[in-house]
Amino acid sequence: MVSRVWIGELTGASPATLARWYAQRHTQPVERRHPEIVVTVGTTHYFDQQAVESFWAAWQQDVGTGRLGAAGRKPGDGQGSYSADRSARDQAVGVALAALREEGGPRRGLAARLAREHGGVARSWQRAVAEARALYEAETSGAVGEGL
């Protein structure tokens, strides 16, 4: 019997990938299907070692080890948006920056107001206002900024 930790060491897969392999086992061909749990002790699941090794050999042959599968968030630009959406974010930051200039600085509820006026989700507008606020503060402090 082997645990998920052991399977992770064998395959090099992350805990999220191991959980996904098990959760989606019924969508895979039988030869590439993750083995079922044999026994649970406490909160640790154990699998038949031979079944795991057979599964991993079939996976390597059919899929390879270069891409174990994606789990978690997709990579973005570090600004809370995917690069394809960056132009939309820049436009929203521009709208938020114009509102900050018009109002003479940050005001409570600005993101919610912009969401109502321009559409979209308030949380996205909160991010845009945060970026715009940093630009606005750089402008008003006399620092030379990039502007939009």
Side-chain angles (χ1 to χ4, degrees), residues 41-93:
V41 177
T43 59
T44 305
H45 301 298
Y46 290 93
F47 306 86
D48 180 78
Q49 182 175 350
Q50 186 176 5
V52 169
E53 289 171 345
S54 296
F55 154 75
W56 182 236
W59 183 273
Q60 286 177 303
Q61 185 176 9
D62 290 350
V63 179
T65 58
R67 177 164 163 73
L68 293 174
R73 293 182 176 196
K74 295 178 183 176
D77 62 2
Q79 300 293 319
S81 65
Y82 299 114
S83 54
D85 296 337
R86 189 63 212 181
S87 63
R89 170 65 67 85
D90 287 342
Q91 185 177 7
V93 171

Side-chain angles (χ1 to χ4, degrees), residues 7-126:
I7 298 170
E9 290 171 2
L10 172 71
T11 64
S14 71
T17 298
L18 294 171
R20 184 175 42 78
W21 280 346
Y22 184 76
Q24 296 177 356
R25 67 190 174 283
H26 297 296
T27 65
Q28 296 296 320
V30 175
E31 62 277 0
R32 249 188 19 225
R33 189 171 292 167
H34 191 287
E36 293 287 340
I37 297 170
V38 175
V39 67
T40 302
V41 177
T43 59
T44 305
H45 301 298
Y46 290 93
F47 306 86
D48 180 78
Q49 182 175 350
Q50 186 176 5
V52 169
E53 289 171 345
S54 296
F55 154 75
W56 182 236
W59 183 273
Q60 286 177 303
Q61 185 176 9
D62 290 350
V63 179
T65 58
R67 177 164 163 73
L68 293 174
R73 293 182 176 196
K74 295 178 183 176
D77 62 2
Q79 300 293 319
S81 65
Y82 299 114
S83 54
D85 296 337
R86 189 63 212 181
S87 63
R89 170 65 67 85
D90 287 342
Q91 185 177 7
V93 171
V95 169
L97 184 57
L100 287 171
R101 288 175 182 149
E102 183 180 311
E103 294 185 11
R107 300 287 184 260
R108 186 178 184 104
L110 177 59
R113 182 176 61 94
L114 292 173
R116 282 190 307 274
E117 290 175 4
H118 299 281
V121 182
R123 180 66 186 125
S124 294
W125 281 103
Q126 287 172 347

